[in-house]
């Protein structure tokens, strides 16, 4: 067995070094708490504030975007603090032990153990892509994956790209492709113009972000990029990789319109995303209570306004507690830490109320903007209902829509039974790619999402190589107990 490093003790562990996690760790440090910040990445910042390698950093000035500046500011504050930032750590197990938590993580060298009094889960989101024929072709990317290529690596998804899906990432990715010298064949938006107009009051409340969005729109208009509202990808086709994308109009539920005017675009890349789903592996593993909220991404931990869950000592913050955007996530990181400080006895009730009150008001303002845009990306039942039977739903196990329907016909009436019948969710991604679609298919057949439930979390909550835990050994080293008497 590979030796496990020494146990590291702290008051609070913050899991996830995105906007919410960094702010939570900084606030804990200011309260005088011993805080450990854990993240898989090489540098803090998360997806929104992703760090850029030094060799690819733009010069100061107009080339430095607002997200990079905000991320650099948080990283600088973190470096100046006393926070014990442990990067390149993959948290794979958490256990509750006598009013404390044991966290097992895989570090750069050896397995590590952390024992803490409280955990703030700031684990962010997973991207949702509703399957369609051809979505497994080389050249098809998630919108979030495209932002990583463009933001941190300065790499184009392809020479000629179709950008499809829902929400503000559409325009961001399309404008970034143009700025990097690529060609956008078309922008395919599930939302109609009336849906965007309903978001206008909330967007005007954030003039900085509203201005950035207008800039993206103008860049697309100048290049005469077709923008098709209330359209979706019907299929992607190609021999050895993507060659063309066919799109069609949809109704308000996302279902393709019968006899709608389909259009085909030649392209070698398709970036597609239908919103984000909260990453709730930690709260699921610790058996916290959850509730389903379609407008906030799906299943979320049932927490109070400061992030307290039903499990004492466990708090949630950021988009992992419900999709609301980076601005709201940062404030929620502060609120979760203040709640933890109050519960751990380092912050009096009076001081907690004095600090939390203004932050709650600030959070409500930021959340209005995030909630409006999150509604644009909420999963649309008609889109899922229209997935053709031959389409692969679970990429890890090659499970098709037809196989899922057959399992339901045979009696699978909750998501865990469906998992047992089909192996959906048993692959390396552990259901992160297929989970939303699989459970929505089941709910459409048998009732609500609340009725069919969610998959039970088990260790490991993140895929890990077994040899990193076990190390090298000989079979002769394995102790074999004596046989039981007959």
């Amino acid at each position: 067995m590979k030796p496990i490093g020494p146990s590291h003790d702290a008051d609070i562990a913050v899991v996830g070094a995105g906007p919410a996690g960094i702010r939570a760790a900084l606030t804990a440090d200011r309260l005088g708490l011993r805080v450990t910040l854990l993240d898989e990445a090489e540098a803090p910042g998360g997806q929104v504030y992703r760090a850029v390698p030094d060799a690819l950093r733009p010069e100061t000035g107009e080339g430095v975007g607002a997200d990079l500046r905000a991320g650099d500011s948080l990283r600088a504050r973190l470096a100046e603090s006393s926070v014990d930032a442990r990067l390149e750590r993959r948290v794979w197990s958490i256990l509750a032990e006598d009013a404390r938590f044991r966290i097992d993580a895989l570090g750069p060298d050896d397995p590590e153990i952390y024992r803490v009094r409280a955990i703030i889960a700031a684990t962010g989101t997973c991207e949702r892509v509703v399957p369609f024929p051809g979505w497994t072709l080389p050249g098809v990317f998630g919108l979030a994956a495209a932002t990583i290529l463009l933001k941190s690596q300065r790499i184009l998804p392809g020479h000629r790209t179709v950008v499809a899906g829902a929400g503000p990432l559409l325009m961001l990715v399309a404008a970034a492709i143009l700025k990097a010298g690529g060609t956008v064949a078309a922008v395919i938006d599930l939302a109609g113009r009336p849906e965007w107009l309903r978001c206008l009051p909330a967007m005007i409340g954030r003039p900085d972000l509203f201005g950035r969005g207008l800039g993206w729109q103008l860049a697309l208009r100048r290049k005469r990029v077709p923008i098709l509202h209330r359209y979706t990808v019907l299929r992607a086709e190609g021999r050895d990789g993507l060659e063309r994308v066919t799109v069609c109009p949809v109704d308000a539920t996302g279902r393709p319109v019968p006899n709608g005017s389909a259009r085909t675009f030649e392209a070698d890349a398709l970036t597609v995303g239908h919103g984000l789903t909260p990453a709730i592996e930690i709260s699921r593993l610790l058996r916290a209570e959850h509730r389903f909220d379609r407008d906030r991404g799906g299943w979320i931990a049932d927490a109070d306004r400061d992030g307290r869950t039903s499990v004492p000592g466990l708090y949630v913050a950021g988009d992992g507690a419900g999709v609301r955007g980076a601005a709201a996530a940062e404030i929620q990181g502060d609120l979760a830490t203040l709640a933890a400080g109050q519960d751990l006895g380092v912050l009096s009730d009076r001081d907690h109320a004095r600090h939390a009150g203004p932050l709650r008001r600030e959070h409500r303002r930021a959340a209005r903007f995030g909630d409006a845009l999150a509604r644009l990306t909420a999963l649309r039942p008609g889109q899922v209902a229209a997935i053709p039977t031959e389409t692969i739903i679970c990429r890890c196990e090659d499970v098709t829509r037809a196989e899922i329907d057959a399992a339901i016909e045979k009696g699978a009436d909750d998501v865990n039974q469906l998992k047992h019948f089909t192996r959906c969710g048993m692959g390396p991604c552990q259901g992160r790619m297929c989970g939303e679609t699989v459970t929505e298919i089941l709910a459409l057949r048998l009732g609500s999402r609340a009725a069919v439930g969610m998959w039970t979390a088990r260790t490991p909550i993140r895929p890990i190589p077994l040899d990193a835990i076990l190390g090298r050994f000989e079979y002769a080293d394995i102790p074999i107990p004596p046989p039981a008497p007959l």
Side-chain angles (χ1 to χ4, degrees):
M1 188 81 170
K2 196 165 186 176
I4 296 176
S7 174
H8 305 276
D9 291 350
D11 295 313
I12 292 181
V14 180
V15 183
I22 295 176
R23 283 279 290 265
L26 290 172
T27 301
D29 185 48
R30 287 198 304 273
L31 293 177
L33 292 164
R34 294 175 303 155
V35 55
T36 298
L37 177 63
L38 301 166
D39 196 275
E40 293 184 10
E42 295 179 357
Q47 173 72 352
V48 175
Y49 296 155
R50 181 173 291 274
V52 175
D54 291 339
L56 297 175
R57 285 183 65 87
E59 297 295 329
T60 57
E62 292 185 1
V64 179
D67 288 343
L68 183 54
R69 287 194 298 270
D72 285 346
S73 175
L74 281 177
R75 281 184 284 272
R77 290 172 58 192
L78 186 63
E80 294 168 358
S81 73
S82 301
V83 173
D84 181 18
R86 303 279 179 135
L87 303 172
E88 297 182 87
R89 265 72 175 182
R90 175 165 289 198
V91 173
W92 61 272
S93 175
I94 299 179
L95 297 171
E97 295 182 335
D98 298 327
R100 294 176 69 85
F101 297 96
R102 166 181 164 150
I103 301 174
D104 287 275
L106 183 60
D109 301 313
D110 294 307
E112 298 172 346
I113 294 175
Y114 299 85
R115 287 187 168 87
V116 296
R117 299 166 65 195
I119 293 175
I120 298 176
T123 45
T125 61
C126 301
E127 185 167 37
R128 179 198 300 123
V129 178
V130 177
F132 50 86
W135 77 302
T136 59
L137 275 172
V140 180
F141 298 82
L143 280 175
T147 64
I148 295 173
L149 288 175
L150 291 160
K151 276 186 174 183
S152 65
Q153 301 300 320
R154 302 292 190 263
I155 295 175
L156 288 166
H159 297 289
R160 182 176 171 83
T161 304
V162 172
V163 181
L169 269 184
L170 284 173
M171 303 304 172
L172 183 155
V173 169
I177 289 172
L178 294 179
K179 185 176 180 179
T183 299
V184 177
V187 174
I188 311 302
D189 189 357
L190 263 174
R193 287 188 178 89
E195 292 173 85
W196 280 101
L197 287 174
R198 285 195 291 271
C199 295
L200 196 57
M203 290 191 290
I204 292 174
R206 285 297 306 274
D208 54 335
L209 299 180
F210 183 57
R212 288 168 64 184
L214 284 180
W216 300 333
Q217 289 269 5
L218 290 173
L220 296 172
R221 298 296 181 187
R222 281 196 295 267
K223 291 291 186 178
R224 300 184 183 277
V225 174
I227 302 176
L228 305 183
H229 288 283
R230 196 161 279 182
Y231 267 72
T232 194
V233 174
L234 189 62
R235 58 183 175 272
E237 298 172 297
R239 184 184 295 267
D240 298 317
L242 182 69
E243 297 174 6
R244 57 193 168 273
V245 179
T246 300
V247 303
C248 68
V250 296
D251 62 21
T253 72
R255 185 186 292 272
V257 175
N259 304 317
S261 53
R263 295 180 60 177
T264 298
F265 296 92
E266 302 297 318
D268 65 341
L270 166 63
T271 65
V272 57
H274 303 111
L276 304 170
T277 61
I280 56 172
E281 291 87 356
I282 291 176
S283 55
R284 284 168 51 217
L285 184 67
L286 292 175
R287 302 297 186 261
E289 294 178 6
H290 290 75
R291 60 186 175 85
F292 183 76
D293 189 332
R294 188 175 295 272
D295 287 343
R296 295 185 62 192
W299 285 102
I300 57 176
D302 194 1
D304 71 9
R305 58 184 176 175
D306 294 333
R308 292 182 181 89
T309 71
S310 60
V311 176
L314 174 64
Y315 308 81
V316 291
D319 282 348
V323 179
R324 281 179 158 165
E330 288 192 42
I331 304 165
Q332 198 171 23
D334 288 336
L335 286 169
T337 303
L338 291 176
Q342 182 186 27
D343 296 343
L344 292 175
V346 300
L347 193 65
S348 69
D349 293 348
R350 181 177 178 180
D351 285 340
H352 176 266
R354 180 165 56 87
H355 292 294
L359 283 171
R360 288 171 185 154
R361 290 190 290 273
E362 188 181 353
H363 182 262
R364 284 194 294 271
R365 288 193 294 270
R368 278 197 291 270
F369 178 85
D371 286 343
L373 295 184
R375 283 192 289 271
L376 288 175
T377 64
L379 184 61
R380 300 173 186 238
Q383 186 185 15
V384 174
I387 298 173
T389 57
E390 72 277 7
T391 306
I392 290 175
I393 304 297
C394 174
R395 299 173 66 138
C396 297
E397 299 292 331
D398 288 334
V399 180
T400 65
R401 168 68 186 270
E403 292 172 293
I404 293 171
D405 288 338
I408 297 172
E409 292 295 335
K410 290 178 181 177
D413 59 4
D414 67 61
V415 292
N416 288 295
Q417 192 172 36
L418 186 64
K419 179 179 181 179
H420 173 70
F421 281 21
T422 64
R423 291 191 58 81
C424 276
M426 292 188 181
C429 89
Q430 298 175 297
R432 291 175 179 83
M433 289 293 294
C434 67
E436 276 286 285
T437 303
V438 169
T439 51
E440 187 73 10
I441 290 172
L442 184 60
L444 288 171
R445 293 285 298 274
L446 299 178
S448 68
R449 287 289 293 272
V452 301
M454 59 182 177
W455 283 338
T456 301
R458 294 181 176 86
T459 298
I461 55 175
R462 299 288 286 172
I464 53 171
L466 281 179
D467 63 345
I469 301 297
L470 298 176
R472 297 182 61 84
F473 64 91
E474 302 295 333
Y475 281 101
D477 299 330
I478 300 175
I480 300 176
L486 296 177

Coordinates of all heavy atoms in Angstrom, one line a residue, residues 317-359:
A317 N -21.3 27.2 -1.4 CA -21.1 28.6 -1.9 C -20.8 28.6 -3.3 O -20.3 27.6 -3.9 CB -20.0 29.3 -1.1
G318 N -21.2 29.7 -4.0 CA -20.9 29.8 -5.4 C -21.9 29.1 -6.3 O -23.0 28.7 -5.8
D319 N -21.6 28.9 -7.6 CA -22.5 28.2 -8.5 C -22.8 26.8 -8.1 O -23.8 26.2 -8.6 CB -21.9 28.3 -9.9 CG -22.1 29.7 -10.6 OD1 -22.9 30.5 -10.0 OD2 -21.5 29.9 -11.6
G320 N -22.0 26.1 -7.3 CA -22.3 24.8 -6.9 C -23.4 24.8 -5.9 O -24.0 23.7 -5.7
A321 N -23.8 26.0 -5.4 CA -25.0 26.1 -4.6 C -26.2 26.5 -5.4 O -27.3 26.8 -4.8 CB -24.8 27.0 -3.4
G322 N -26.1 26.7 -6.7 CA -27.1 27.2 -7.5 C -26.6 28.2 -8.5 O -25.9 29.2 -8.0
V323 N -26.7 28.1 -9.8 CA -26.1 28.9 -10.8 C -26.6 30.4 -10.7 O -27.8 30.6 -10.9 CB -26.2 28.4 -12.2 CG1 -25.6 29.2 -13.2 CG2 -25.7 26.9 -12.2
R324 N -25.7 31.3 -10.4 CA -26.0 32.7 -10.3 C -24.9 33.6 -10.8 O -25.0 34.8 -10.7 CB -26.4 33.1 -8.9 CG -27.8 32.7 -8.5 CD -28.2 33.0 -7.1 NE -29.6 33.1 -6.9 CZ -30.2 33.1 -5.7 NH1 -29.5 33.0 -4.6 NH2 -31.5 33.1 -5.7
G325 N -23.8 33.1 -11.2 CA -22.7 33.9 -11.8 C -21.6 34.2 -10.8 O -21.8 34.1 -9.6
A326 N -20.5 34.7 -11.4 CA -19.3 35.0 -10.6 C -19.5 36.0 -9.5 O -19.0 35.9 -8.4 CB -18.1 35.3 -11.5
A327 N -20.2 37.1 -9.8 CA -20.4 38.2 -8.9 C -21.1 37.8 -7.6 O -20.7 38.0 -6.5 CB -21.1 39.4 -9.5
A328 N -22.2 37.0 -7.8 CA -23.0 36.5 -6.7 C -22.1 35.5 -5.9 O -22.2 35.3 -4.7 CB -24.3 36.0 -7.1
A329 N -21.4 34.7 -6.7 CA -20.6 33.6 -6.1 C -19.6 34.1 -5.1 O -19.4 33.6 -4.0 CB -19.9 32.8 -7.1
E330 N -18.9 35.2 -5.4 CA -17.9 35.8 -4.5 C -18.5 36.2 -3.2 O -18.0 35.9 -2.1 CB -17.2 37.0 -5.2 CG -16.2 36.6 -6.3 CD -15.4 37.8 -6.7 OE1 -14.9 38.5 -5.9 OE2 -15.2 38.0 -8.0
I331 N -19.7 36.9 -3.3 CA -20.3 37.4 -2.1 C -20.8 36.2 -1.2 O -20.7 36.2 0.0 CB -21.5 38.3 -2.4 CG1 -21.0 39.4 -3.3 CG2 -22.2 38.8 -1.2 CD1 -22.1 40.2 -4.0
Q332 N -21.3 35.1 -1.9 CA -21.7 34.0 -1.2 C -20.6 33.3 -0.5 O -20.8 32.7 0.6 CB -22.5 33.0 -2.2 CG -23.3 32.0 -1.5 CD -24.2 31.2 -2.4 OE1 -23.9 31.1 -3.6 NE2 -25.3 30.7 -1.9
G333 N -19.4 33.3 -1.1 CA -18.2 32.8 -0.4 C -18.0 33.5 1.0 O -17.7 32.9 2.0
D334 N -18.2 34.8 1.0 CA -18.0 35.6 2.2 C -19.1 35.2 3.2 O -18.8 34.9 4.4 CB -18.2 37.1 2.0 CG -17.0 37.7 1.2 OD1 -15.9 37.1 1.3 OD2 -17.1 38.7 0.6
L335 N -20.4 35.1 2.8 CA -21.5 34.7 3.6 C -21.3 33.3 4.3 O -21.6 33.2 5.5 CB -22.8 34.8 2.9 CG -23.3 36.2 2.6 CD1 -24.5 36.2 1.6 CD2 -23.7 36.9 3.8
A336 N -20.9 32.4 3.5 CA -20.7 31.0 4.0 C -19.6 31.0 5.1 O -19.8 30.3 6.1 CB -20.3 30.1 2.9
T337 N -18.6 31.8 4.9 CA -17.5 31.8 5.9 C -17.9 32.5 7.2 O -17.6 32.1 8.3 CB -16.2 32.4 5.3 OG1 -15.8 31.7 4.1 CG2 -15.1 32.3 6.3
L338 N -18.7 33.6 7.0 CA -19.2 34.2 8.2 C -20.1 33.3 9.0 O -20.1 33.3 10.2 CB -20.0 35.5 7.8 CG -19.1 36.6 7.2 CD1 -20.0 37.8 6.8 CD2 -18.1 37.1 8.2
A339 N -20.9 32.5 8.3 CA -21.8 31.6 9.0 C -21.0 30.5 9.7 O -21.3 30.2 10.9 CB -22.8 30.9 8.0
A340 N -19.9 30.0 9.0 CA -19.1 29.0 9.7 C -18.4 29.6 10.9 O -18.2 29.0 11.9 CB -18.0 28.5 8.7
G341 N -17.9 30.9 10.8 CA -17.3 31.6 11.9 C -18.2 31.7 13.1 O -17.8 31.5 14.2
Q342 N -19.4 32.1 12.8 CA -20.4 32.2 13.9 C -20.7 30.8 14.5 O -20.7 30.7 15.8 CB -21.8 32.7 13.3 CG -22.9 32.9 14.3 CD -24.2 33.3 13.7 OE1 -24.5 32.9 12.5 NE2 -25.0 34.0 14.4
D343 N -20.8 29.8 13.7 CA -21.1 28.4 14.3 C -19.9 27.9 15.0 O -20.0 27.1 16.0 CB -21.5 27.5 13.1 CG -22.8 27.9 12.5 OD1 -23.5 28.7 13.1 OD2 -23.0 27.4 11.3
L344 N -18.7 28.3 14.6 CA -17.5 27.8 15.3 C -17.1 28.6 16.5 O -16.2 28.3 17.2 CB -16.3 27.8 14.3 CG -16.3 26.7 13.2 CD1 -15.2 26.9 12.2 CD2 -16.4 25.3 13.7
G345 N -17.9 29.7 16.7 CA -17.7 30.5 18.0 C -16.6 31.5 17.9 O -16.3 32.1 18.9
V346 N -16.1 31.9 16.7 CA -15.1 32.9 16.6 C -15.8 34.3 16.2 O -15.1 35.3 16.2 CB -14.0 32.6 15.6 CG1 -13.3 31.3 16.0 CG2 -14.6 32.5 14.2
L347 N -17.0 34.3 15.9 CA -17.7 35.5 15.5 C -19.0 35.5 16.3 O -19.9 34.6 16.3 CB -18.0 35.5 14.0 CG -18.5 36.8 13.4 CD1 -17.4 37.8 13.4 CD2 -18.9 36.5 11.9
S348 N -19.2 36.6 17.1 CA -20.4 36.7 17.9 C -21.7 36.9 17.0 O -21.6 37.3 15.8 CB -20.3 37.9 18.8 OG -20.3 39.1 18.1
D349 N -22.8 36.6 17.5 CA -24.1 36.8 16.8 C -24.2 38.3 16.3 O -24.7 38.5 15.2 CB -25.3 36.4 17.6 CG -25.3 34.9 17.9 OD1 -24.5 34.2 17.3 OD2 -26.1 34.5 18.8
R350 N -23.8 39.2 17.2 CA -23.9 40.6 16.9 C -23.0 41.0 15.7 O -23.4 41.6 14.8 CB -23.6 41.4 18.1 CG -23.7 42.9 17.9 CD -23.5 43.7 19.2 NE -23.5 45.1 19.0 CZ -23.3 46.0 19.9 NH1 -23.1 45.6 21.2 NH2 -23.4 47.3 19.7
D351 N -21.7 40.5 15.8 CA -20.8 40.8 14.7 C -21.2 40.1 13.4 O -21.0 40.7 12.3 CB -19.4 40.4 15.2 CG -18.8 41.3 16.2 OD1 -19.2 42.5 16.3 OD2 -17.8 40.9 16.9
H352 N -21.7 38.9 13.6 CA -22.2 38.2 12.3 C -23.3 39.0 11.7 O -23.3 39.3 10.4 CB -22.7 36.8 12.7 CG -23.3 36.1 11.5 ND1 -24.6 36.1 11.2 CD2 -22.7 35.4 10.5 CE1 -24.8 35.4 10.1 NE2 -23.6 35.0 9.7
A353 N -24.3 39.5 12.4 CA -25.4 40.3 11.8 C -24.9 41.6 11.2 O -25.3 42.0 10.1 CB -26.4 40.6 12.9
R354 N -23.9 42.2 11.9 CA -23.3 43.5 11.4 C -22.6 43.3 10.0 O -22.8 44.1 9.1 CB -22.4 44.0 12.4 CG -21.8 45.4 12.0 CD -21.1 46.0 13.2 NE -20.1 45.2 13.8 CZ -18.8 45.1 13.4 NH1 -18.4 45.9 12.5 NH2 -18.0 44.3 14.1
H355 N -21.9 42.2 9.9 CA -21.2 41.9 8.6 C -22.1 41.3 7.5 O -22.0 41.6 6.3 CB -20.0 41.0 8.9 CG -18.9 41.7 9.7 ND1 -18.2 42.7 9.2 CD2 -18.4 41.4 10.9 CE1 -17.3 43.1 10.1 NE2 -17.4 42.3 11.2
A356 N -22.9 40.4 8.0 CA -23.7 39.6 7.0 C -24.8 40.5 6.3 O -25.2 40.3 5.2 CB -24.3 38.4 7.6
G357 N -25.4 41.4 7.1 CA -26.6 42.2 6.6 C -26.2 42.9 5.3 O -26.9 42.7 4.2
P358 N -25.2 43.7 5.2 CA -24.8 44.4 4.0 C -24.5 43.4 2.8 O -24.8 43.7 1.7 CB -23.6 45.3 4.3 CG -23.7 45.4 5.8 CD -24.3 44.2 6.3
L359 N -23.8 42.3 3.2 CA -23.5 41.3 2.2 C -24.7 40.7 1.6 O -24.7 40.4 0.4 CB -22.5 40.3 2.8 CG -21.1 40.7 3.0 CD1 -20.4 39.6 3.8 CD2 -20.4 40.9 1.6

